[in-house]
Amino acid sequence: MWNIAKAQLYQLKRERLVLAMFFVILLIQMVFAFGVGDERIVSGSEYIATMDSMSVMWTLFFVSVLVGQMTGKDFMDRTANYELMTGHLRSEVFWGRAIPVLVLGTVGTMILVLAPVVVMSAAYGWGDKITVGQYAVRFVLMAFPILRIISELIFLTMLTKNAYLTMVLGYLMVMLGDVFPPNVILGVSNVNLLCQYSSWGIYSFGDYEYVMYQGDLSASSAIATVLSSLIFGAAFLVLSNSYFKKDDLR
């Protein structure tokens, strides 16, 4: 299994589409931070509290491309078949791809989410809209629904065995998931929940309104995020592995 995982990591260095998507989304994140955001945003914490969750949703397109390239492409060029013919177990072929995708997908997406926050804070300071601790809790929790989304995309790849179809389905998953209200039922809507900050105006002075934000996340939402992500994520991985073991590869 680990030899397959190492081969996947080596192959990833030559996957220009994955690297291109990562840097394109990173650029989009910077545009959201400095080009599209409200011109009155003057701190990193204000950027976090006021930017729409779509600025985070963009990062999930990277996951779709990564999963498609690292899992689906090997079905298209028969690499997975060759690995089985050389004596690898199906579980080794599956987990040799699933584990690197889960790790790289989560780490890569978290970097894309955090990058504009770091840059805005370095440029304008953190500010006082929410505390660093409040954001840190939400940021760490975001890893759980991201893992869940990756697991769901792996399952779709096992069904379709097509890298490009996985990318399209991943795009649709993000677009449709963002339509639903913030909740823990869906992975994408769970990410949306973690991006929402309640606000209320305190007073106005001229054209400026001072707004307060609720940065704390309820314990019930945090627990529901972790449990739903682990349960659904594990379920999709088990289903994916089970389906791959029984599938008649052609």
Side-chain angles (χ1 to χ4, degrees):
M1 180 183 74
W2 298 115
N3 288 334
I4 294 176
K6 290 178 182 178
Q8 291 296 308
L9 295 176
Y10 176 78
Q11 181 179 334
L12 183 62
K13 297 178 182 179
R14 302 161 60 185
E15 293 290 353
R16 296 181 180 179
L17 180 59
V18 174
L19 295 176
M21 180 58 69
F22 180 87
F23 287 108
V24 166
I25 294 177
L26 183 61
L27 177 61
I28 291 174
Q29 290 292 84
M30 292 302 117
V31 170
F32 266 112
F34 292 100
V36 179
D38 192 321
E39 62 181 6
R40 293 176 298 176
I41 294 177
V42 295
S43 68
S45 63
E46 190 169 7
Y47 165 77
I48 295 167
T50 57
M51 287 301 292
D52 187 84
S53 60
M54 196 59 204
S55 64
V56 174
M57 295 301 170
W58 276 106
T59 64
L60 299 178
F61 296 143
F62 165 71
V63 170
S64 301
V65 173
L66 180 69
V67 174
Q69 288 295 97
M70 289 190 69
T71 58
K73 192 174 181 181
D74 285 342
F75 288 113
M76 297 171 66
D77 62 13
R78 306 296 182 186
T79 299
N81 299 61
Y82 299 145
E83 290 170 348
L84 293 172
M85 291 172 60
T86 56
H88 289 286
L89 299 175
R90 290 207 176 202
S91 60
E92 293 177 335
V93 173
F94 174 77
W95 291 110
R97 288 170 171 77
I99 292 176
V101 166
L102 287 166
V103 174
L104 293 176
T106 303
V107 173
T109 304
M110 298 292 279
I111 291 173
L112 291 172
V113 171
L114 187 61
V117 176
V118 172
V119 173
M120 288 288 289
S121 299
Y124 304 118
W126 179 257
D128 59 358
K129 299 302 181 182
I130 60 174
T131 67
V132 174
Q134 289 170 336
Y135 176 69
V137 169
R138 292 174 182 253
F139 178 73
V140 171
L141 285 173
M142 200 173 294
F144 290 93
I146 290 173
L147 281 167
R148 172 182 172 179
I149 292 169
I150 296 173
S151 301
E152 293 168 353
L153 289 172
I154 290 174
F155 177 69
L156 291 175
T157 306
M158 293 300 109
L159 295 179
T160 64
K161 296 181 177 61
N162 187 295
Y164 305 110
L165 188 53
T166 296
M167 296 176 197
V168 173
L169 292 174
Y171 172 82
L172 294 176
M173 181 189 297
V174 174
M175 291 293 97
L176 293 176
D178 194 43
V179 173
F180 291 90
N183 54 58
V184 299
I185 297 176
L186 300 175
V188 176
S189 62
N190 200 164
V191 172
N192 198 3
L193 172 67
L194 297 173
C195 295
Q196 299 297 317
Y197 293 85
S198 301
S199 64
W200 60 94
I202 301 300
Y203 61 84
S204 297
F205 184 76
D207 294 331
Y208 181 77
E209 180 183 19
Y210 188 80
V211 181
M212 294 289 292
Y213 295 90
Q214 176 61 44
D216 290 327
L217 189 69
S218 67
S220 59
S221 295
I223 294 172
T225 293
V226 174
L227 291 180
S228 63
S229 298
L230 292 178
I231 291 172
F232 283 102
F236 275 106
L237 288 175
V238 170
L239 287 173
S240 300
N241 187 34
S242 178
Y243 180 84
F244 180 64
K245 285 182 177 180
K246 299 176 181 179
D247 189 30
D248 182 19
L249 298 177
R250 302 190 181 197

